[in-house]
Amino acid sequence: MESSTQSLADQVYSLIKGEILRGELSFGEKIREDDLAARFGVSRTPVREAIRRLAEYGLVKIAPRSHAAIARISESEARDIAEIRIDLESFAIDHLNPVLFTEKLPLLSHYAAVCQFSLSIGERDKAFELDSLFHITLTEIAGNATLSELYKHLDARVQLLRVKQGLAEETLVRFLSQHGELLALLKADKKQEAKNLIRFHVLHE
């Protein structure tokens, strides 16, 4: 029973997370357990577990003794997140460990390719998750565990920022193609150019 309940919670978690990342649920929108349970054809238990996990991740806010709602992100917070991302990824590039980079390169290339493919077949939420995995893995090339943990904790806010930006598909295609360009610069040891591209990539300038 426990494994069955957990499996249902996993499914509900993925379904709700996908709706958030596709922008189908609005910032601040209340999450009603009864409505979700009825829509997904499950009891409230896996729905409650899924909401708890989404809150731990940072996509949902749970008010004490009240309702859960999709997390909000302000304009000032969006700017702060972008600048912190640039700083963390630039640090990783400056402290690139050649052995680690060679080890991570196949995975980075995989994420870059599948990210673009997911967007091409209309799976925007999957593309966003793969984009996150690419950048999380990028921070690991420095071999600094603290850096990687900091970036992972920022990930939910980065995901919300992507939704908030609401970029058109053709614009997203252009920016996601920059993953390959970034890897080419790093392979050529062009660190400053790579950092310039990271700033352009994050700020969408």
Side-chain angles (χ1 to χ4, degrees):
M1 176 66 72
E2 184 176 347
S3 61
S4 174
T5 301
Q6 185 59 45
S7 177
L8 284 173
D10 288 343
Q11 293 175 46
V12 174
Y13 173 86
S14 296
L15 288 168
I16 300 174
K17 186 177 182 182
E19 290 182 356
I20 295 172
L21 297 186
R22 289 192 297 272
E24 295 170 7
L25 297 174
S26 305
F27 295 123
E29 182 175 339
K30 291 183 180 180
I31 301 174
R32 305 184 189 281
E33 291 182 9
D34 289 340
D35 292 347
L36 288 174
R39 182 150 64 91
F40 297 140
V42 299
S43 70
R44 290 178 61 181
T45 300
V47 172
R48 191 176 297 115
E49 171 64 16
I51 291 172
R52 182 190 64 78
R53 288 173 54 192
L54 287 164
E56 287 179 353
Y57 179 56
L59 292 180
V60 166
K61 294 289 185 183
I62 300 177
R65 297 182 297 281
S66 184
H67 63 273
I70 308 304
R72 299 177 184 273
I73 184 169
S74 67
E75 292 294 338
S76 61
E77 187 179 6
R79 288 193 299 272
D80 290 345
I81 290 167
E83 289 297 336
I84 290 171
R85 278 191 68 193
I86 292 166
D87 288 345
L88 293 177
E89 294 189 44
S90 294
F91 182 94
I93 290 171
D94 279 333
H95 296 81
L96 181 151
N97 180 310
V99 174
L100 274 177
F101 177 63
T102 300
E103 178 185 308
K104 300 284 185 183
L105 184 56
L107 185 58
L108 286 164
S109 299
H110 170 76
Y111 287 147
V114 183
C115 181
Q116 286 186 274
F117 174 74
S118 296
L119 184 63
S120 74
I121 61 173
E123 295 183 349
R124 191 181 181 100
D125 54 323
K126 184 67 174 177
F128 283 169
E129 294 211 53
L130 287 160
D131 185 26
S132 273
L133 288 171
F134 176 91
H135 288 279
I136 287 170
T137 306
L138 182 66
T139 65
E140 294 173 355
I141 64 176
N144 186 315
T146 301
L147 168 65
S148 296
E149 282 303 309
L150 285 171
Y151 200 93
K152 287 175 185 176
H153 285 304
L154 188 66
D155 185 55
R157 310 307 290 171
V158 172
Q159 294 277 26
L160 288 172
L161 178 55
R162 291 187 181 103
V163 177
K164 183 180 180 66
Q165 289 169 329
L167 298 178
E169 184 170 333
E170 58 271 22
T171 304
L172 270 177
V173 168
R174 179 161 55 91
F175 282 110
L176 293 181
S177 70
Q178 292 169 352
H179 291 155
E181 297 173 33
L182 178 63
L183 294 180
L185 290 172
L186 293 176
K187 284 192 285 187
D189 198 30
K190 296 182 178 180
K191 291 184 178 180
Q192 187 56 54
E193 291 180 45
K195 289 192 295 181
N196 292 343
L197 181 57
I198 282 291
R199 172 166 284 277
F200 181 83
H201 180 74
V202 171
L203 296 178
H204 300 308
E205 293 178 335

